[in-house]
Amino acid sequence: MDKIIMKTPLVEMDGDEMTRIIWKMIKDILLLPYIDLKTEYYDLGLEYRNETNDQVTIDSAEATKKYGVAVKCATITPNAARMTEYNLKEMWKSPNGTIRALLDGTVFRSPILVKGITPYIPTWTKPICIARHAYGDVYKNTEMIVEKGCKAELCVTNADGTETRDIIFDFKNSDGIIQGMHNLDSSISSFARACFNYALDQKLDLWFATKDTISKKYDHTFKDIFAEIFENEYKEKFDAAGIEYFYTLIDDAVARVIRSNGGYIWACKNYDGDVMSDMIATAFGSLAMMTSVLVSPEGIYEYEAAHGTVQRHYYKHLKGEETSTNSVATLFAWTGALRKRGELDETPELCAFADKLEKATIDTIESGIMTGDLYLLSTLENKTKVNTEDFLKAVNERLKELL
Ligand code: NAP
Ligand code: MG
């Protein structure tokens, strides 16, 4: 069989530890034999980030803006322990944070469902995709401890120097606490557009929820910006695609999510998204089966796995011990990116290959061949635990039958 031709390169962002090992295995076993793989390679492994003073991260984000589609391996976010382990010049920032800021992007996380791994909510038969607004609110707040006898006010210094004030609370009878936070109309608008675009891309309904009945200015602004952008820019496109934008109160949304069958995108404010994405990931069964895609308001896509570098497995691997690390989310990052590249370049062979590789992966697990993490969860009767590499080889056997 001839190798599938790619017209435009993918931006390839390599990473760290066990996921770096998996990255190479996926390419060698499942991609290079079938695709004339064109990538523009950026090494985001911590050593090279340190060597380039993190310039490589910025360059990779700029390349993503240029080409439109990237695939990223998990990377280490340095902490004190990593400073010594890698002899770092500085505690470099999270590459994901840097890339997200440069692309002004929103992260969408979706679980991959397979037979044998039942969500804790068994009626969730379709994925629930969470979109988290990753700017502002309590994550960029200012807090103070206030002593009894003090009065706290909100004060805005206007452009002409005058002040607008409002009382927060008069702490006459007790010590207490206050908190100030903000968001930006521009950031909320980018978030809204990223969500509407991704809903159209995935042909999924979009849900959004805030506490606008209590927070009549702050949360209500989120509701209003979403409503206005939807009416002016997306309503007709949603009608044509047969999908819906649905707004409700956050507590009503939580109740509906639990009663639902899944199959929609749930857009969340920053804190709601932080909390709910962990709940959804856990309820669907495994972090190793969670994919993640960063989407910019202009429609630039960066695909990755939601999990980290699986450090414990890496140290076993370094000692020469066998590992059974789940490569599915990283593999789906590649298929997501290849399919998107195929759509943009109008190379349907590439999209078809991505579909078949995903099917081969799911079929392999549903036939009972799986890595250790899934082996512990699966209710299949005949199941076999395989090592990291043998799982990918088993996927390849299935893939050959489908091609
Ligand atoms: P992690 O790498 O996601 O791993 C946490 C634990 O979850 C693992 O020890 C493993 O459990 C299990 N696990 C996660 N992915 C798995 C997989 N593919 N197959 C099998 N088991 C899997 O998170 P972490 O240990 O907190 O972080 C490690 C490094 O990753 C850190 O340096 C962090 O900065 C980085 N990180 C990067 C990203 C990113 O690039 N997007 C995201 C999160 C964390 P067992 O050990 O019990 O088998
Ligand atoms: Mg969280």
Side-chain angles (χ1 to χ4, degrees), residues 109 124 128-132 139 250-251 253-255 257-258 266-284 290:
R109 278 178 155 206
W124 285 358
I128 296 170
C129 172
I130 291 251
R132 173 181 172 188
Y139 302 86
I250 184 69
D251 30 2
V254 170
V257 164
I258 297 295
W266 183 13
C268 291
K269 286 181 62 200
N270 208 348
Y271 177 81
D272 298 337
D274 182 353
V275 177
M276 291 304 162
S277 63
D278 284 331
M279 185 196 74
I280 297 277
T282 308
F284 272 105
M290 189 61 85

Side-chain angles (χ1 to χ4, degrees), residues 335-353:
T335 53
L338 290 168
R339 185 185 296 108
K340 179 52 74 183
R341 196 63 271 165
E343 282 168 22
L344 295 175
D345 290 350
E346 295 177 16
T347 44
E349 320 81 77
L350 201 54
C351 301
F353 176 81

Side-chain angles (χ1 to χ4, degrees), residues 17 72-77 82 96 287-288 304-313 324-326 373:
E17 300 193 312
K72 181 179 170 292
C73 179
T75 46
I76 293 169
T77 299
R82 301 296 195 171
N96 289 57
L287 187 58
E304 63 179 314
H307 61 76
T309 59
V310 213
Q311 182 181 21
R312 197 180 64 82
H313 295 214
S324 182
T325 314
N326 189 330
D373 57 318

Side-chain angles (χ1 to χ4, degrees), residues 341-389:
R341 196 63 271 165
E343 282 168 22
L344 295 175
D345 290 350
E346 295 177 16
T347 44
E349 320 81 77
L350 201 54
C351 301
F353 176 81
D355 292 344
K356 285 173 187 165
L357 182 47
E358 287 182 359
K359 182 169 164 33
T361 308
I362 288 171
D363 286 354
T364 302
I365 299 168
E366 293 185 344
S367 79
I369 301 172
M370 60 195 81
T371 46
D373 57 318
L374 297 185
Y375 184 82
L376 290 175
L377 296 171
S378 177
T379 55
L380 293 184
E381 280 185 8
N382 294 309
K383 52 181 181 179
T384 315
K385 175 183 162 178
V386 291
N387 68 36
T388 311
E389 187 169 0

Side-chain angles (χ1 to χ4, degrees), residues 4 6 10 12 27 31-32 35-39 334 338:
I4 298 165
M6 286 179 66
L10 273 181
E12 175 184 354
K27 285 172 67 179
L31 303 178
L32 292 168
I35 306 176
D36 188 20
L37 195 66
K38 274 206 193 90
T39 71
W334 274 100
L338 290 168

